Amino acid sequence: MHSGATNNKRNFACLLEEREGIMLVHINVFLVALIWYFFVRRRNSRDTAKLPPGSLGWPYIGETLHLYSQDPNHFFAKKQKKYGEIFKTHILGCPSIMLASPEAARFVLVNQAHLFKPTYPKSKENLIGPLALFFHQGEYHARLRKLVQGSLSLDNLRGLVPNIEALAVSALDSWAGGHIISKFCLHLYVLTNNFVVQLQLSFEVGILTIFGHLEANQIEKLRENYSILDKGYNSFPIKLPGTPFKKAFLARKRLQVILCEIISERKEKKATEKGLLGCLLNWKDENDETLSEDQIADNIIGVLFAAQDTTASALTWILKYLHDHPKLLETVKAEQEIIFQHNDDGNLTLTWAQTRNMPITYKLMLESLRMATIISFTFREAVTDVEYKGYLIPKGWKVMPLFRNIHQNPEFFPNPEQFDPSRFKVAPKPNTFMPFGSGVHACPGNELAKLEMLIMVHHLVTKYRWEVVGSRSGIQYGPFPVPIHGLPARFKKESTREKRAMGSGGISKWDSVWSISSANAWTSCKI
Ligand code: HEM
């Protein structure tokens, strides 16, 4: 019994020792884990990774005044020169990190896109409609994107060529139709603001792509209210009666009513059109759930918004570059003239195949998109602390891939300030050419925009002559860059007889006015 008790005591002591041993092991494991957490895992977080170089400027206003008191492109270019390809700043009330390298843009927009969400001011989100795809990421975004992309597929665009062509011809005819006699010149010209007219064209193309056929009175109501919305979109977001923002807000409400009427009509008719509205109306999930009217309306306004000013600005720049480079204009004309003559002097409509085979005009378009970079940069917001190349991008900070700076980098585009379509004989290096963005939010309308531009250039150079009026240099932002005052120009429609009389490369009185006026802007241009 005694020895048993002694044994028991010994066993108990052993047990205690064993437990202490186990506890010690646990404590050691815990300490090692703690050390690992602090010295290894935490290496990736705020304590060790440093913020990129740069300046956050004044408290709250940061560097916003610096940005707005100069050309934004100079602001970013100066910063890039001083700090390199990744730098911090503080603009529009937000600490932000700018990224001016292709790898960094790819990191944010493609490889690690899930760590960065799209971000827009709430006031703008509400004007467009908070359910529009570009405010979202994840499953909802992917579902809507598939529908938008489907409606803009090459197969659908192929069928739109004759309609887009008819709209382009009618826009061009309207420029040259209302002739006025300008006291400054001997000829009959029309004085117009290209950007405004281009806006009308891209609006009509947007309507066509979204709705297919629409009654003229419905188009007019949409146009009227959409233009009020567009004007107020970039105004100061204050809802006082009479302010552009308040007007835009009310126009958005009216647009909702008009769109809901159209949606009900289409539902009643059980229409099976291929346009975006058809795709949105016909969508059903596995539980037979359909999209709500708000989801449909917000996405229609969203696509119209994304399609309009962007394409209009790009077209206006193409006109400006053609104007500034007469030799290039002649070469583009020669390419388009062959198609024009093949189509019985324009009596036959353009074919899809012809629009896919305009190599010179295509390079002109790409170089215009590079030089003008309609969307200079985009915004994302870090959803968590992110480390990139040893730099910390803190959660909640804005991140801005700078497309324009990449397009203007001589390492990727030698002599970047020179307009040179021939550079596109060779494909740009990956991720260096992003006029339509990149990754999950890249532009689904890029093929439509290109088609619209090619068709427009075809008709413009084969049937019209034009001359830019007033100042030829300078940019204005609205918010997309356009040549100053929207490039006012005089247009003249050439009759086939006039063209034949001149022959290819012939000089008319009009031509001499043209070349004198454009002599200052003349620079050699390779194709
Ligand atoms: C020259 C004309 C155009 C340019 C330069 C352009 C440029 C862009 C860019 C850079 C983005 C990406 C923005 C970002 O990543 O934050 C984008 C997105 C978008 N674009 Fe375009 N775009 C043009 C025309 C169009 C057209 C014609 C349409 C539709 C018919 C369209 C519809 C959209 C939509 C819906 C998005 C959002 C996509 C998403 O969030 O998934 N765009 N565009």
Side-chain angles (χ1 to χ4, degrees):
M1 173 85 192
H2 181 83
S3 71
T6 318
N7 272 348
N8 272 351
K9 266 189 195 162
R10 229 181 253 143
N11 284 348
F12 186 64
C14 280
L15 208 68
L16 271 181
E17 264 172 31
E18 209 174 283
R19 282 214 174 153
E20 271 169 18
I22 291 171
M23 267 178 72
L24 268 177
V25 170
H26 279 180
I27 289 169
N28 283 343
V29 169
F30 178 71
L31 281 176
V32 170
L34 216 62
I35 291 166
W36 173 82
Y37 179 76
F38 276 103
F39 291 95
V40 181
R41 195 170 162 258
R42 297 266 298 176
R43 268 164 64 103
N44 291 332
S45 80
R46 291 178 177 231
D47 290 352
T48 46
K50 55 186 188 301
L51 284 170
S55 150
L56 294 178
W58 292 84
Y60 191 72
I61 55 167
E63 297 195 297
T64 312
L65 294 180
H66 289 95
L67 174 66
Y68 280 91
S69 60
Q70 56 185 297
D71 177 344
N73 303 317
H74 291 164
F75 174 82
F76 293 131
K78 262 196 291 185
K79 294 259 172 198
Q80 185 183 349
K81 209 167 164 198
K82 188 165 174 191
Y83 300 116
E85 285 171 346
I86 170 163
F87 54 90
K88 66 174 179 290
T89 180
H90 193 290
I91 49 168
L92 303 167
C94 310
S96 311
I97 289 176
M98 313 279 158
L99 305 165
S101 77
E103 307 82 60
R106 186 171 171 77
F107 178 81
V108 170
L109 300 174
V110 186
N111 296 346
Q112 302 297 326
H114 60 287
L115 303 178
F116 301 93
K117 63 174 185 187
T119 163
Y120 291 78
K122 260 279 164 283
S123 56
K124 295 199 189 305
E125 223 177 281
N126 289 336
L127 276 189
I128 299 294
L131 299 170
L133 81 158
F134 39 72
F135 303 130
H136 294 266
Q137 60 175 14
E139 200 266 322
Y140 178 74
H141 170 259
R143 184 197 316 157
L144 277 153
R145 189 173 164 92
K146 211 169 153 194
L147 294 173
V148 173
Q149 241 169 351
S151 73
L152 295 166
S153 67
L154 291 185
D155 254 4
N156 283 355
L157 296 186
R158 184 192 296 262
L160 291 182
V161 172
N163 308 59
I164 298 178
E165 193 178 13
L167 291 173
V169 168
S170 133
L172 283 167
D173 280 349
S174 76
W175 295 1
H179 288 145
I180 55 165
I181 300 176
S182 161
K183 62 181 176 177
F184 301 112
C185 49
L186 301 169
H187 295 261
L188 290 177
Y189 298 128
V190 65
L191 185 62
T192 182
N193 178 319
N194 277 318
F195 183 61
V196 172
V197 185
Q198 310 274 25
L199 270 179
Q200 282 164 20
L201 172 68
S202 50
F203 177 82
E204 306 252 351
V205 173
I207 293 284
L208 170 74
T209 325
I210 293 168
F211 299 99
H213 173 73
L214 200 59
E215 297 298 326
N217 70 323
Q218 288 173 318
I219 298 182
E220 224 21 73
K221 280 199 266 174
L222 287 173
R223 189 201 311 277
E224 193 187 309
N225 288 295
Y226 182 82
S227 79
I228 301 172
L229 173 71
D230 200 37
K231 275 190 203 125
Y233 182 79
N234 285 305
S235 63
F236 193 71
I238 181 163
K239 274 195 206 158
L240 285 179
T243 57
F245 188 76
K246 176 78 181 185
K247 286 183 188 165
F249 177 77
L250 295 174
R252 176 63 181 87
K253 280 189 158 178
R254 291 191 294 273
L255 280 170
Q256 183 79 12
V257 175
I258 303 165
L259 287 173
C260 287
E261 273 169 23
I262 300 173
I263 292 170
S264 317
E265 270 174 31
R266 297 278 162 110
K267 275 184 180 166
E268 253 174 50
K269 281 189 201 155
K270 296 205 172 12
T272 52
E273 278 140 17
K274 280 185 186 163
L276 174 63
L277 177 56
C279 292
L280 296 172
L281 279 173
N282 294 332
W283 182 84
K284 273 190 189 135
D285 70 4
E286 55 282 1
N287 304 320
D288 264 8
E289 288 286 324
T290 54
L291 293 174
S292 70
E293 283 192 350
D294 282 350
Q295 286 173 326
I296 297 178
D298 289 7
N299 279 288
I300 286 178
I301 303 283
V303 167
L304 203 52
F305 178 79
Q308 214 207 352
D309 289 41
T310 46
T311 318
S313 309
L315 266 166
T316 308
W317 280 108
I318 290 181
L319 233 84
K320 160 100 177 111
Y321 294 129
L322 279 176
H323 169 268
D324 289 353
H325 300 92
K327 283 212 159 171
L328 169 66
L329 175 62
E330 285 313 315
T331 325
V332 170
K333 260 186 177 185
E335 174 173 89
Q336 295 298 341
E337 197 62 39
I338 294 172
I339 300 174
F340 184 79
Q341 282 169 17
H342 187 269
N343 287 353
D344 187 20
D345 280 352
N347 286 322
L348 300 174
T349 55
L350 274 173
T351 64
W352 171 251
Q354 284 169 336
T355 65
R356 307 297 283 178
N357 189 17
M358 299 177 171
I360 296 171
T361 315
Y362 195 77
K363 286 192 248 59
L364 152 78
M365 187 177 66
L366 296 185
E367 179 67 341
S368 304
L369 287 168
R370 182 192 71 83
M371 282 288 276
T373 310
I374 308 301
I375 302 212
S376 308
F377 52 82
T378 185
F379 280 101
R380 296 286 187 273
E381 186 184 305
V383 292
T384 177
D385 280 358
V386 183
E387 194 181 320
Y388 175 72
K389 287 197 172 171
Y391 289 121
L392 172 71
I393 304 176
K395 179 180 174 182
W397 279 42
K398 306 286 177 209
V399 180
M400 295 160 66
L402 301 176
F403 300 135
R404 178 181 297 275
N405 293 48
I406 297 171
H407 291 171
Q408 289 296 324
N409 189 331
E411 202 186 312
F412 315 125
F413 299 98
N415 301 319
E417 67 297 335
Q418 201 174 319
F419 188 82
D420 177 10
S422 76
R423 66 173 86 244
F424 284 96
K425 276 180 184 163
V426 181
K429 288 185 189 144
N431 311 306
T432 58
F433 185 55
M434 293 174 281
F436 294 105
S438 184
V440 284
H441 289 277
C443 181
N446 77 89
E447 288 294 344
L448 172 65
K450 288 192 237 168
L451 181 64
E452 189 178 331
M453 290 189 255
L454 292 170
I455 293 178
M456 186 69 168
V457 171
H458 170 78
H459 287 281
L460 190 70
V461 301
T462 51
K463 295 185 199 147
Y464 294 84
R465 304 199 144 239
W466 72 101
E467 190 193 28
V468 173
V469 179
S471 169
R472 292 188 197 103
S473 55
I475 302 180
Q476 71 187 51
Y477 295 86
F480 304 122
V482 277
I484 199 90
H485 307 313
L487 199 73
R490 296 186 183 97
F491 282 82
K492 186 186 179 228
K493 190 166 187 177
E494 278 183 321
S495 66
T496 318
R497 197 166 49 83
E498 253 179 303
K499 275 174 67 174
R500 287 225 181 89
M502 271 167 49
S504 168
I507 300 287
S508 69
K509 195 172 177 194
W510 216 90
D511 273 320
S512 54
V513 174
W514 165 262
S515 43
I516 291 163
S517 63
S518 54
N520 295 342
W522 196 92
T523 50
S524 70
C525 193
K526 296 170 265 170
I527 302 288

